[in-house]
Amino acid sequence: MPSMPDTAMASYDTPEGVDIRGRYDPEFATILTRDALSFVAGLQREFRGAVRHAMERRRETQRRYDAGELPRFDPATKFVREGDWTCAPVPPAIADRTVEITGPVDPRKMVINALNSGAKVFMADFEDALAPTWENLMRGQVNLRDAVAGTISFRDTARGGRVYKLEERTAKLFVRPRGWHLPEAHVFIDGEPAIGCLVDFGLYFFHSHAAFRAGQGAGFGPFFYLPKMEHSREARIWNGVFERAERVAGIERGSIRATVLVETLPAVFQMDEILHELRDHSAGLNCGRWDYIFSYVKTFRAHPDRLLPDRALVGMAQHFMRSYSHLLIRTCHRRQVHAMGGMAAQIPIKDDAAANEAALELVRNDKLREVRAGHDGTWAAHPGLIPAIREVFEGHLGGKPNQINAAAAPADAAAITEEDLIQPPRGGRTVEGLRLNTRVGVQYLAAWLGGSGSVPLYNLMEDAATAEISRVQNWQWLRHGATLDAGGVAVRATPELLARVMEEEMARVRAEVGAERFRRGRYAEAGKIFSRQCVAPELDDFLTLDAYGLIVVHHPRAPASKL
Ligand SMILES: CC(=O)SCCNC(=O)CCNC(=O)[C@H](O)C(C)(C)COP(=O)(O)OP(=O)(O)OC[C@H]1O[C@@H](n2cnc3c(N)ncnc32)[C@H](O)[C@@H]1OP(=O)(O)O
Ligand SMILES: O=CC(=O)O
Ligand SMILES: [Mg+2]
């Protein structure tokens, strides 16, 4: 009998200087080829210095905000903001982005569902919606490669063997790699963990660019979303990455296109500069509203005069949020690119028709606000929302794929000031808000540690960005001793109050999910981490960075002889 290959002993065929510490899997090995890894290593070696410098500049800028400085437009780049330039023309393949569905790159079934959803674009996510375990990342790469090749399929044994495969018309694929700050601890290059987003980008690009070229006609693609940047120097690094990738692959400069999420407060003051850096590769900007709120708290962590009200009150109607989206629309349309809207957190409610209709109505109103303001498209978290969102956008656009050329920009946009962009949001702060943050934060973290990066909680979509708001808001209130309303009684946010709330909310979560699931899940561990993060003297930069070590699984090194 022929012997089966022993995958426990097998190892990846790696180029000089690259060491894979994640589990060996023959399917992952079709992604982690020697050539693909050489490509990733080339990116890491060329850009690691610039990334390190950019991260140091982030810290330095934050120190200035902590000392009282406020974010502002940079006088040194006034000429870019005032200059008369436009980005490269919008590729016809992605002119219509009225509705974009988002979702993690794994599970495979979900990728197929998203591509078949009727949305114009699917943003496949290595970021907010994905817990970056080795298994998720690698299965995600396999899914994307097969999706681009058009061969992806899935047999759902839990559903009586239902087979999922691509329909004739599918959404265009955009991929969102992780942010610059996250390492990939399963891939070591020259003795240090790789930069996470270069692994995500590099492997996906390497395995997909030829299929894009063959299938896309005019030579455009692959397409990307770029998250969590704080400054145009970070966009410049991405532009360099794209140029190197195009050169190595031998495809036309400008084939790669990317939409930048404006989802940090510092980045709103850099929108023209970011588009300018990426002008040959740009596919516009997007309002990443959830991370933007998180970033507002982080940027102003040392400013007691800028405390957030309850999380549920910080919506797009707040002056600073409206100003941000209006300025983004104006900036994009001046530069002839898409101004994409963001994510409404409501998802379909299965067991309550009236509540479901109310949730849908909130989504419709949010989308109507976006399209009236001038957005060219928007995001949907769930396929069940797509018909309603399409109706709003398509109804308003009247057959046009976008409104870039309609010079659509809100009347107030030209006069938006630095003060408009940072105006503190209004509303009350309550102990109920502290409780909800805690309940949601702990459950999200437990799911993330268990490998799920996006989950439904209390009929809302929760992902890394929304969970970050819960964490930093608790931290901010405790740090500055905010006064909270406890049913008409004023109480101070203190570590003692949080300890009591934690205990009560953990008991409530246990009752809600059931003792068995609570015991098997990572709730207790999540509770400890969340609690520690809320009372930490210094705010942790990212929840996912702090907890990343807990999802890294290194496998013993295989012997030198390879299969
Ligand atoms: C702040 C930001 O960054 S937003 C962007 C990042 N966040 C996201 O992308 C969240 C995406 N959405 C999701 O992950 C999910 O919709 C959740 C977690 C919110 C809800 O998930 P669930 O409760 O499991 O969804 P539900 O049970 O209603 O799913 C029903 C069906 O819709 C599918 N589905 C649900 N959401 C999606 C999606 N986003 N993409 C594709 N298919 C989806 C499911 O696969 C399932 O398919 P099936 O009937 O063939 O089995
Ligand atoms: O990535 C999107 C966001 O809102 O954050
Ligand atoms: Mg985000």
Side-chain angles (χ1 to χ4, degrees):
M1 214 170 100
S3 64
M4 295 290 287
D6 180 357
T7 53
M9 298 301 286
S11 66
Y12 297 100
D13 179 15
T14 54
E16 184 70 30
V18 178
D19 183 15
I20 303 294
R21 302 191 178 178
R23 181 180 72 81
Y24 179 84
D25 184 295
E27 193 158 41
F28 299 172
T30 64
I31 296 293
L32 297 163
T33 61
R34 195 179 176 82
D35 287 346
L37 289 170
S38 293
F39 177 68
V40 172
L43 294 174
Q44 168 94 6
R45 287 174 184 138
E46 180 166 344
F47 296 103
R48 62 188 163 203
V51 174
R52 207 170 287 135
H53 172 72
M55 296 305 99
E56 182 44 46
R57 294 295 299 273
R58 278 190 190 178
R59 287 188 284 274
E60 189 185 303
T61 308
Q62 183 61 51
R63 283 195 286 273
R64 292 208 309 272
Y65 297 147
D66 290 349
E69 209 175 280
L70 299 176
R72 58 182 188 137
F73 295 107
D74 184 352
T77 47
K78 191 166 180 227
F79 72 99
V80 176
R81 290 191 299 282
E82 292 186 351
D84 191 15
W85 51 271
T86 56
C87 295
V90 172
I94 53 165
D96 185 347
R97 301 173 61 185
T98 38
V99 185
E100 302 191 334
I101 190 163
T102 69
V105 290
D106 191 68
R108 192 169 174 88
K109 176 174 85 166
M110 209 158 153
V111 170
I112 302 171
N113 281 341
L115 288 164
N116 288 340
S117 66
K120 301 291 177 186
V121 164
F122 166 38
M123 190 210 67
D125 203 6
F126 283 100
E127 215 246 341
D128 285 337
L130 190 85
T133 63
W134 178 242
E135 305 295 318
N136 283 348
L137 293 170
M138 289 302 114
R139 281 202 305 264
Q141 289 285 352
V142 170
N143 294 341
L144 294 184
R145 181 202 53 199
D146 296 349
V148 173
T151 58
I152 189 168
S153 66
F154 177 73
R155 192 165 178 280
D156 194 351
T157 44
R159 284 256 179 118
R162 179 174 160 191
V163 174
Y164 290 75
K165 55 184 171 39
L166 293 182
E167 286 166 11
E168 201 161 319
R169 281 174 76 86
T170 55
K172 301 282 180 209
L173 185 61
F174 275 56
V175 168
R176 178 162 73 169
R178 284 168 281 179
W180 283 124
H181 57 284
L182 288 172
E184 177 42 61
H186 302 93
V187 179
F188 271 61
I189 298 174
D190 303 334
E192 60 180 9
I195 297 163
C197 59
L198 295 183
V199 174
D200 303 338
F201 165 83
L203 294 175
Y204 170 67
F205 176 83
F206 186 88
H207 290 292
S208 72
H209 71 80
F212 262 94
R213 196 180 170 77
Q216 205 69 44
F220 288 112
F223 306 112
F224 294 91
Y225 257 103
L226 303 177
K228 292 190 177 51
M229 286 197 267
E230 298 195 4
H231 194 275
S232 56
R233 73 174 70 85
E234 300 173 26
R236 189 181 315 148
I237 308 177
W238 271 119
N239 198 59
V241 169
F242 294 164
E243 287 182 347
R244 182 185 170 104
E246 288 165 342
R247 227 176 22 249
V248 172
I251 60 176
E252 294 89 342
R253 190 162 175 279
S255 297
I256 298 174
R257 294 300 174 103
T259 302
V260 171
L261 288 129
V262 176
E263 55 180 356
T264 66
L265 189 64
V268 83
F269 298 92
Q270 288 273 315
M271 293 193 292
D272 276 306
E273 289 85 340
I274 287 171
L275 286 177
H276 194 253
E277 289 296 345
L278 281 159
R279 60 195 176 279
D280 296 328
H281 292 106
S282 178
L285 303 175
N286 166 296
C287 277
R289 60 173 81 164
W290 302 104
D291 267 313
Y292 192 76
I293 298 168
F294 158 48
S295 174
Y296 186 93
V297 178
K298 202 154 79 158
T299 305
F300 290 130
R301 64 191 183 181
H303 296 231
D305 54 334
R306 290 179 194 276
L307 302 189
L308 242 56
D310 280 0
R311 182 187 134 168
L313 302 177
V314 191
M316 296 307 295
Q318 292 280 0
H319 185 79
F320 83 114
M321 296 297 280
R322 195 171 55 242
S323 303
Y324 140 67
S325 78
H326 287 190
L327 188 60
L328 182 142
I329 293 165
R330 178 172 191 270
T331 308
C332 287
H333 289 177
R334 270 184 82 202
R335 307 309 179 189
Q336 292 287 289
V337 284
H338 285 81
M340 299 301 297
M343 186 64 92
Q346 291 78 17
I347 48 176
I349 302 173
K350 291 167 196 149
D351 48 8
D352 183 339
N356 187 48
E357 186 41 47
L360 257 182
E361 195 52 21
L362 288 174
V363 174
R364 275 194 211 101
N365 289 339
D366 183 57
K367 301 308 163 189
L368 196 58
R369 175 195 55 75
E370 287 186 330
V371 74
R372 281 184 179 153
H375 278 297
D376 300 292
T378 191
W379 277 11
H382 191 287
L385 302 171
I386 290 176
I389 300 179
R390 276 185 69 168
E391 199 180 307
V392 172
F393 261 82
E394 289 171 4
H396 193 89
L397 294 183
K400 292 193 304 285
N402 57 60
Q403 44 189 343
I404 299 172
N405 285 318
D412 65 347
I416 288 169
T417 63
E418 291 171 342
E419 183 45 39
D420 289 319
L421 293 165
I422 59 174
Q423 190 187 94
R426 294 174 210 279
R429 287 177 275 278
T430 66
V431 171
E432 198 38 55
L434 187 77
R435 286 188 180 284
L436 186 61
N437 284 340
T438 305
R439 203 154 65 235
V440 167
V442 167
Q443 289 184 83
Y444 178 77
L445 195 49
W448 190 89
L449 292 170
S452 297
S454 56
V455 286
L457 287 174
Y458 309 111
N459 298 324
L460 296 178
M461 182 271 316
E462 296 289 343
D463 69 5
T466 60
E468 285 285 28
I469 302 173
S470 300
R471 171 182 74 98
V472 297
Q473 177 161 65
N474 277 11
W475 180 91
Q476 182 195 49
W477 288 354
L478 260 68
R479 171 76 176 76
H480 298 292
T483 303
L484 307 180
D485 177 8
V489 181
V491 299
R492 220 172 120 84
T494 59
E496 294 71 33
L497 176 67
L498 183 76
R500 207 181 73 225
V501 163
M502 275 300 297
E503 198 180 319
E504 289 166 8
E505 293 307 316
M506 289 300 279
R508 177 165 167 181
V509 169
R510 190 171 184 278
E512 284 175 358
V513 303
E516 179 56 18
R517 189 168 145 208
F518 190 87
R519 195 183 51 75
R520 277 190 287 106
R522 296 176 76 173
Y523 293 92
E525 190 181 359
K528 283 200 190 103
I529 300 169
F530 188 77
S531 197
R532 184 178 51 67
Q533 287 178 335
C534 293
V535 299
E538 292 295 325
L539 182 65
D540 281 323
D541 270 349
F542 293 96
L543 167 74
T544 49
L545 187 55
D546 186 49
Y548 179 55
L550 299 167
I551 59 168
V552 171
V553 183
H554 282 172
H555 277 253
R557 301 283 263 294
S561 65
K562 294 180 175 143
L563 282 186

